[in-house]
C-alpha cells in the first residue's frame, strides 16, 4: 500500500500525436490534477520531488503493474496460465494467438511510454536547476537522489518495453526537444547499454535504505539489483529483428560480470537487505498485512493505493484463490491457474509449495473447499490473506507489486558465477543453498546435493528460480533469456500427461482425494493426501474430489472449449515469433512505415 503520494503532473511539453483510422490520439500526454509549466515543475526541491513522483505514477494502475503487465503478460509458461477460453484479450496473449489489434496491448504500451516521457523531462530538468549545483548541500543531496531515482525509473520503463517489444523506439530526450516524434526502432543492445550506464550513475546518487525514511521510493539496493537483472537480459537470448532467430551476443560474459559484481556487493551488505526467516511471511505477513518487511528482502516494489484503476492494484481480486462473493472476504480470484506440473515440482517439504499454489477455494460460508488438480491457482497475492479484511466486492485491494526480492540477488549471483567460471564457485553454491535452506526451513538436511558441473548447476538454477518466483512475473522472461521457453512448454505438456497416467516421477499422484470441513479448514482422510494412491473408500461424511482424474483428456480439465488442459497451454506458441509481442496496430499505422513490426506479425 502506498506510503508516499504519487501525483501525475501535466507539464507544458509537446506530445506525440498518434493517428489512426478513428482519429488522432495523444500518446505521451501526461495527465493529472495539477498543471505546471516546466519552470514551475522544477522551481524548487519540493516541486521537483512532485515531478519525480509523477514519473513513478505510471508504474501502478490497470495499465501497468496493477494487473496487465504483471498478471496478463507473463503467461502462459510452465508455471501457470491465464484461465478461461481464448479471446482477443488477455487469453489471446496467454495462448500466444496475438493479433495486432489485441485489446490488451495498447494501454500498457502507452503507459510505459508516458512513464518514459515523464522520466526524460525530469532527467533533463533536474540538473539544470540552480540548486543542483550551487544550492545548499542538503538540497543538492535531495536533488541528486531525485535524479538517480528518475534514471532508474527510465531504465525500468525501457526494460519492460524491450522485453515485450524488442527493438523499441528509445527516446532519451523529452518530446518537446525531438524534431521528429516518430523515431525509428532502436537496437536493443544500444538501449540496454545506455540504461546500464544510467544505473551505474544512479546507484551513487541514491541512498542506502537505512539512510532515509521507509517508503516505496528507490534506494541503492533496488538500483543495483535492477542493474544486475537488466545485465543478465542484455547477456541473454532474445528474438532478433534482423535474423528472426533467438540469439545472444558473443560478448555476453561482459554482462554476466556486471550482474555478478552488483549482486556480490549487495550480498556483502546484509545490513541493508537479506532474506526473511520464512518464505510465507514475505507474502502473508508483509505484503498482505501491510507490515514492513524487517529484512528488506523486498528491494523494489510498486506502491498501490487510492482504490481506483489509475493508482491501485488488482492483485488478490483478479488472481489468487477463487472466493465466493458471499464470503466475508468478498469475491474474486482464479484469473491465473497454477499448472499441475508446477505443484508437483515442489518437494512436499518445500514450504514454498503451499504459498505459491494453494489447493483451496473459499465458499459463501467462509469455508475452504478442495480444488481439482486442473483448477489450482497462484497464491502469493490472496484476498483471504488481506489484513485487515476487505469484504464486499471492491476491485482494488491495495497490494503493492513486488518487483525484486533479495532471493533474486542470491540466485542471479549464483547463475552469473557459474557462467563466468565455467562451473559453480563455493560462493555460488553458498548463495544457491541459502535460498533452498530457507525454503526447507526445519528440514534443511533435505535440500539435496548441489551439483558441481556447470551444466548441472545451471539446470539447478533454472529449477530453483522456477520454485522461488512462481506468480511473480519472472518465469516466462527467464525462459526467454535462456532460450528455453519452447522447450519448457513442450515438457509441461508431457508432464501433465504423465501425471494423469501415474507415469514417471508421478506414480504416487492419487486419482481422487477425500476431505471434509474442520471448522473453516480442510481435513484430509489420508495423512499425505497429494501423494497417496491407495486410499480405501472412507466412511460417510467425506467428500470425494477428482485429482489426477481431472486431467483426463476426455471430459476433464479444459482451457478453450473442448481442448484438454495439456494441449491448451500456450496453444499457439511459435518459436522465433511468440517471444515478442506485435506493436499495436494503431501505433504501427501512425508511424507511416518508419516502425518495423516484430517477426511473424
Amino acid at each position: 500500500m502506498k506510503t508516499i503520494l504519487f501525483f501525475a503532473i501535466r507539464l507544458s511539453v509537446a506530445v506525440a500525436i498518434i493517428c489512426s483510422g478513428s482519429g488522432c490520439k495523444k500518446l505521451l500526454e501526461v495527465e493529472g490534477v495539477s498543471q505546471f509549466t516546466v519552470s514551475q515543475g522544477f522551481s524548487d526541491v519540493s516541486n521537483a520531488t512532485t515531478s519525480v513522483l509523477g514519473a513513478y505514477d505510471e508504474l501502478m494502475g490497470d495499465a501497468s503493474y496493477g494487473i496487465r503487465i504483471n498478471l496478463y503478460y507473463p503467461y502462459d509458461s510452465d508455471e501457470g496460465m491465464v484461465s478461461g477460453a481464448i479471446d482477443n484479450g488477455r487469453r489471446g496473449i496467454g495462448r500466444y494467438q496475438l493479433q495486432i489489434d489485441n485489446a490488451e496491448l495498447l494501454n500498457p504500451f502507452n503507459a510505459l511510454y508516458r512513464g518514459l516521457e515523464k522520466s526524460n523531462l525530469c532527467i533533463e530538468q533536474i540538473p539544470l536547476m540552480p540548486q543542483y549545483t550551487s544550492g545548499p548541500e542538503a538540497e543538492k543531496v535531495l536533488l541528486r537522489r531525485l535524479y538517480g531515482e528518475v534514471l532508474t525509473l527510465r531504465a525500468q520503463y525501457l526494460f519492460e518495453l524491450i522485453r515485450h517489444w524488442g527493438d523499441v523506439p528509445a527516446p532519451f530526450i523529452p518530446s518537446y526537444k525531438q524534431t521528429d516524434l516518430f523515431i525509428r526502432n532502436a537496437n536493443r543492445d544500444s538501449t540496454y547499454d545506455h540504461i546500464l550506464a544510467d544505473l551505474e550513475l544512479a546507484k551513487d546518487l541514491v541512498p542506502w535504505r537505512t539512510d532515509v525514511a521507509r517508503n516505496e521510493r528507490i534506494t541503492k539496493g533496488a538500483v543495483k539489483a535492477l542493474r544486475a537483472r537488466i545485465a543478465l537480459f542484455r547477456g541473454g537470448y532474445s528474438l532478433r529483428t534482423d535474423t528472426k532467430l533467438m540469439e545472444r551476443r558473443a560478448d555476453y560474459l561482459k554482462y554476466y560480470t556486471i550482474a555478478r559484481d552488483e549482486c556480490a556487493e549487495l550480498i556483502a551488505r546484509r545490513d541493508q537487505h537479506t532474506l526473511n526467516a520464512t518464505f510465507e511471511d514475505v507474502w502473508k505477513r508483509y505484503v498482505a498485512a501491510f507490515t514492513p518487511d524487517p529484512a528488506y528482502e523486498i528491494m523494489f516494489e510498486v506502491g498501490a493505493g487510492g482504490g481506483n484503476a489509475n493508482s491501485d492494484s488488482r492483485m488478490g481480486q483478479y488472481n489468487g484463490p477463487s472466493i465466493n462473493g458471499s464470503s466475508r472476504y468478498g469475491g474474486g480470484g482464479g484469473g491465473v491457474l497454477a499448472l499441475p506440473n508446477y505443484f508437483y515440482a515442489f518437494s512436499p517439504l518445500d514450504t514454498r509449495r503451499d504459498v505459491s499454489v494453494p489447493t483451496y477455494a473459499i465458499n459463501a460460508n467462509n469455508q475452504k473447499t478442495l480444488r481439482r488438480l486442473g483448477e489450482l491457482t497462484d497464491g502469493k497475492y490472496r484476498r483471504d490473506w488481506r489484513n485487515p479484511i476487505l469484504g464486499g466486492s471492491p476491485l482494488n485491494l491495495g497490494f503493492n507489486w513486488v518487483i525484486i526480492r533479495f532471493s533474486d540477488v542470491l540466485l542471479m549471483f549464483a547463475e552469473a558465477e557459474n557462467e563466468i567460471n565455467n562451473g559453480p564457485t563455493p560462493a555460488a553454491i553458498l548463495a544457491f543453498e541459502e535460498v533452498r535452506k530457507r525454503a526447507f526451513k526445519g528440514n534443511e538436511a533435505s535440500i539435496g546435493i548441489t551439483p558441481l558441473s556447470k551444466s548441472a548447476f545451471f539446470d539447478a538454477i533454472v529449477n530453483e528460480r522456477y520454485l522461488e518466483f512462481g506468480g511473480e512475473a519472472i518465469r516466462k522472461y527467464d525462459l526467454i533469456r535462456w532460450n528455453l521457453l519452447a522447450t519448457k512448454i513442450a515438457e509441461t505438456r508431457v508432464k501433465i500427461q504423465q501425471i494423469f497416467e501415474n507415469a514417471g516421477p508421478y506414480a504416487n499422484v492419487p486419482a481422487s482425494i477425500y476431505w471434509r470441513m474442520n471448522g473453516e479448514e480442510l481435513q484430509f482422510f489420508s495423512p499425505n493426501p497429494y501423494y497417496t494412491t491407495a486410499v480405501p473408500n472412507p466412511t460417510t461424511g467425506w467428500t470425494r474430489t477428482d485429482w489426477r482424474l481431472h486431467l483426463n483428456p476426455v471430459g476433464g480439465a479444459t482451457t478453450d472449449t473442448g481442448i484438454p488442459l495439456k494441449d491448451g497451454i500456450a496453444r499457439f506458441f511459435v518459436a522465433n515469433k511468440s517471444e515478442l509481442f506485435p506493436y499495436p496496430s494503431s501505433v504501427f499505422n501512425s508511424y507511416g512505415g518508419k516502425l518495423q513490426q516484430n517477426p511473424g506479425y
Side-chain angles (χ1 to χ4, degrees):
M1 184 177 292
K2 287 186 180 177
T3 54
I4 58 176
L5 298 177
F6 295 164
F7 296 98
I9 304 166
R10 176 178 291 179
L11 298 166
S12 299
V13 298
V15 297
I17 305 298
I18 295 299
C19 297
S20 65
S22 59
C24 295
K25 297 181 67 177
K26 294 181 179 180
L27 173 63
L28 298 178
E29 183 174 24
V30 179
E31 295 288 351
V33 295
S34 301
Q35 297 191 28
F36 292 98
T37 64
V38 172
S39 60
Q40 289 172 328
F42 300 94
S43 59
D44 55 31
V45 173
S46 176
N47 283 341
T49 301
T50 302
S51 297
V52 171
L53 296 183
Y56 273 98
D57 210 36
E58 298 299 337
L59 293 173
M60 185 46 73
D62 280 3
S64 300
Y65 295 109
I67 185 169
R68 283 172 172 78
I69 293 176
N70 54 336
L71 298 180
Y72 290 4
Y73 283 11
Y75 302 102
D76 295 349
S77 73
D78 61 344
E79 63 169 322
M81 64 186 300
V82 178
S83 66
I86 196 167
D87 58 16
N88 195 29
R90 62 186 177 90
R91 300 177 188 94
I93 293 171
R95 306 294 182 269
Y96 299 94
Q97 192 182 44
L98 258 173
Q99 308 297 322
I100 62 173
D101 62 347
N102 186 291
E104 303 300 347
L105 291 180
L106 183 61
N107 286 340
F109 183 87
N110 284 351
L112 292 168
Y113 271 105
R114 285 196 302 269
L116 176 58
E117 169 67 7
K118 291 180 181 182
S119 299
N120 279 338
L121 189 65
C122 293
I123 289 167
E124 177 199 54
Q125 290 295 317
I126 290 173
L128 299 179
M129 295 172 63
Q131 301 93 322
Y132 190 83
T133 53
S134 57
E137 185 60 29
E139 291 192 354
K140 289 194 286 186
V141 169
L142 292 173
L143 289 173
R144 285 195 293 268
R145 179 187 182 183
L146 291 172
Y147 188 56
E149 287 177 85
V150 80
L151 285 171
T152 306
L153 288 171
R154 180 169 71 180
Q156 179 66 23
Y157 288 125
L158 279 167
F159 175 54
E160 286 292 7
L161 285 163
I162 290 170
R163 69 178 184 172
H164 289 105
W165 283 279
D167 291 332
V168 295
F172 287 99
I173 58 174
S175 59
Y176 83 98
K177 283 284 188 73
Q178 296 172 30
T179 57
D180 184 356
L181 293 173
F182 298 97
I183 63 175
R184 296 182 181 276
N185 306 72
N187 180 281
R188 77 197 66 172
D189 295 336
S190 298
T191 305
Y192 271 142
D193 288 344
H194 191 130
I195 61 180
L196 286 169
D198 283 348
L199 293 171
E200 174 74 2
L201 173 62
K203 70 183 185 182
D204 292 327
L205 298 174
V206 299
W208 283 109
R209 63 94 182 163
T210 53
D211 296 331
V212 290
R214 181 164 194 155
N215 49 45
E216 293 92 353
R217 287 176 64 179
I218 291 164
T219 55
K220 194 184 298 289
V223 178
K224 294 172 74 63
L226 179 61
R227 189 165 188 259
R229 175 178 284 178
I230 291 175
L232 288 180
F233 276 81
R234 171 64 172 88
Y237 288 85
S238 59
L239 177 57
R240 296 293 171 172
T241 306
D242 52 354
T243 64
K244 299 178 175 57
L245 296 172
M246 291 290 293
E247 298 175 342
R248 74 174 175 185
R249 298 309 191 207
D251 62 350
Y252 73 95
L253 285 179
K254 170 184 175 180
Y255 299 96
Y256 274 71
T257 302
I258 291 172
R260 188 270 311 275
D261 292 348
E262 293 290 3
C263 292
E265 291 177 18
L266 285 167
I267 290 170
R269 292 300 305 268
R270 295 306 182 98
D271 59 316
Q272 299 297 325
H273 302 279
T274 192
L275 294 184
N276 284 286
T278 65
F279 186 77
E280 183 181 275
D281 276 354
V282 176
W283 306 102
K284 187 174 183 179
R285 186 173 181 182
Y286 305 132
V287 171
F290 309 106
T291 302
D293 160 19
Y296 286 79
E297 177 177 342
I298 299 171
M299 306 176 73
F300 187 8
E301 61 184 321
V302 181
N308 61 71
N310 294 322
S311 64
D312 214 323
S313 70
R314 296 270 297 276
M315 285 83 77
Q317 186 277 330
Y318 168 74
N319 65 329
S322 296
I323 301 177
N324 186 289
S326 300
S327 162
R328 67 164 172 254
Y329 304 107
V336 177
L337 298 180
L339 296 174
N341 56 292
Y342 188 56
F343 180 84
Y344 281 105
F346 293 93
S347 161
L349 298 177
D350 191 330
T351 63
R352 296 172 296 192
R353 187 197 67 184
D354 293 341
V355 175
S356 302
V357 192
T359 58
Y360 65 85
I362 295 178
N363 64 22
N365 297 320
N366 308 314
Q367 294 175 318
K368 294 179 179 178
T369 61
L370 184 67
R371 299 287 281 181
R372 296 179 294 182
L373 184 53
E375 299 171 331
L376 306 183
T377 63
D378 67 329
K380 288 176 178 171
Y381 293 90
R382 305 190 196 186
R383 193 183 192 102
D384 57 306
W385 273 1
R386 193 187 193 280
N387 186 12
I389 294 170
L390 191 61
S393 299
L395 296 177
N396 306 113
L397 303 184
F399 290 149
N400 286 1
W401 176 252
V402 176
I403 291 184
I404 298 179
R405 296 190 287 116
F406 187 74
S407 57
D408 206 344
V409 170
L410 291 168
L411 293 178
M412 286 192 293
F413 173 79
E415 178 186 347
E417 275 280 275
N418 182 60
E419 194 68 33
I420 293 165
N421 294 286
N422 205 34
T425 60
I429 292 169
L430 193 65
F432 171 77
E433 290 185 349
E434 183 176 352
V435 176
R436 285 192 62 73
K437 286 177 180 178
R438 198 264 297 266
F440 284 76
K441 189 174 180 63
N443 293 284
E444 289 85 352
S446 299
I447 67 168
I449 298 174
T450 301
L452 300 180
S453 72
K454 179 183 178 181
S455 61
F457 190 77
F458 171 74
D459 290 342
I461 289 289
V462 169
N463 191 61
E464 198 62 26
R465 292 183 65 84
Y466 184 45
L467 301 174
E468 179 72 16
F469 301 121
E472 296 184 54
I474 289 176
R475 181 61 173 182
K476 185 177 89 168
Y477 308 105
D478 272 350
L479 293 178
I480 290 172
R481 70 179 176 86
W482 294 323
N483 196 20
L484 288 176
L485 182 55
T487 298
K488 292 298 182 181
I489 288 171
E491 288 180 2
T492 294
R493 293 177 179 142
V494 171
K495 288 177 180 179
I496 291 176
Q497 183 65 24
Q498 287 181 316
I499 293 171
F500 171 68
E501 295 175 349
N502 270 154
Y506 308 108
N508 293 323
V509 178
S512 303
I513 294 177
Y514 292 92
W515 59 278
R516 65 186 178 191
M517 297 291 188
N518 183 12
E520 295 181 6
E521 299 295 329
L522 299 178
Q523 179 183 357
F524 295 100
F525 181 73
S526 169
N528 196 17
Y530 306 120
Y531 303 90
T532 303
T533 54
V535 179
N537 191 26
T539 57
T540 59
W542 295 87
T543 299
R544 175 187 173 277
T545 294
D546 281 349
W547 190 249
R548 176 174 55 81
L549 291 179
H550 186 232
L551 304 181
N552 189 340
V554 180
T558 62
T559 53
D560 312 320
T561 303
I563 303 297
L565 181 70
K566 72 178 182 65
D567 298 322
I569 298 159
R571 182 179 169 193
F572 297 97
F573 179 85
V574 176
N576 300 309
K577 171 190 174 183
S578 301
E579 293 87 356
L580 290 177
F581 290 174
Y583 290 101
S585 57
S586 58
V587 172
F588 182 77
N589 293 337
S590 71
Y591 271 73
K594 291 183 179 180
L595 189 65
Q596 185 176 354
Q597 185 59 278
N598 282 320
Y601 296 104

